[in-house]
Amino acid sequence: MRGYTKKFRSGIGIGYVSVMMIFAVICLTILAVLAFQAASSDEKLSEKNTDFTHEYYAADTEAKRILMDLDNAALSASESPFFEDSFTELSAASGAMLTRTAEGFRAEYSVELNERLSLFVGAVFYKVPSAHEGERFKIVEWRTASAAESVDKPLNVWDGEG
């Protein structure tokens, strides 16, 4: 047994390298799944944004069409000696809610954007356009709000009493 000597090896064994490789593969797989999930959610968000943009511009176009109809009614009514009666009669088809003001009429209407939102528009139509730098109307409100909100619903603001 003379020739038999025991040699000790120092260094990393095969088992440690295998464990490190498995750990690296698991980490890379998790990162790949997270990257795919982030890309998928970005794509869905982009599609929702595109759909909302199309809905908004369709509602905006409809609101401008109604405003054009009201402007044409104001133009026709300004040629009549009875502006208030003519404007009320001509604008009835637009579906706008009219309120008399000192300057003429305030018209308010809403166009549905989607099931949750509506586009609210308010414009003042003048009796005498020449007194307002030749303008027949002025847009005083153009906003997007919840569809459940009413155009004529007042704000519930505390007035300091009760």
Side-chain angles (χ1 to χ4, degrees):
M1 292 205 163
R2 198 178 217 250
Y4 178 74
T5 59
K6 205 173 192 182
K7 291 185 179 180
F8 292 100
R9 286 199 242 166
S10 64
I12 300 175
I14 303 262
Y16 182 73
V17 172
S18 297
V19 170
M20 291 302 292
M21 287 298 289
I22 290 171
F23 180 72
V25 168
I26 289 172
C27 288
L28 290 174
T29 304
I30 289 171
L31 288 174
V33 168
L34 289 174
F36 178 74
Q37 193 175 24
S40 176
S41 65
D42 283 349
E43 181 182 16
K44 289 178 186 175
L45 183 63
S46 177
E47 288 172 2
K48 284 183 180 180
N49 190 18
T50 301
D51 292 343
F52 178 78
T53 302
H54 287 294
E55 291 169 347
Y56 179 82
Y57 282 111
D60 185 67
T61 301
E62 178 64 18
K64 287 179 181 176
R65 187 198 59 75
I66 293 171
L67 186 63
M68 181 186 70
D69 291 344
L70 289 169
D71 184 36
N72 288 336
L75 180 63
S76 297
S78 67
E79 296 169 356
S80 168
F82 305 105
F83 176 80
E84 289 87 2
D85 297 333
S86 297
F87 184 70
T88 304
E89 183 180 315
L90 292 170
S91 63
S94 68
M97 186 177 72
L98 300 177
T99 308
R100 289 180 191 240
T101 64
E103 300 167 318
F105 279 97
R106 179 180 170 108
E108 294 178 333
Y109 59 93
S110 68
V111 178
E112 184 176 314
L113 209 134
N114 55 31
E115 63 274 353
R116 296 181 333 264
L117 296 172
S118 291
L119 185 63
F120 290 100
V121 179
V124 175
F125 289 88
Y126 304 120
K127 292 180 203 175
V128 183
S130 60
H132 299 280
E133 299 173 6
E135 294 180 338
R136 288 190 300 269
F137 68 90
K138 178 183 177 185
I139 297 172
V140 292
E141 182 177 32
W142 195 284
R143 65 183 171 92
T144 305
S146 172
E149 186 177 327
S150 173
V151 173
D152 59 347
K153 181 178 177 184
L155 292 175
N156 189 14
V157 179
W158 184 60
D159 61 359
E161 297 179 9

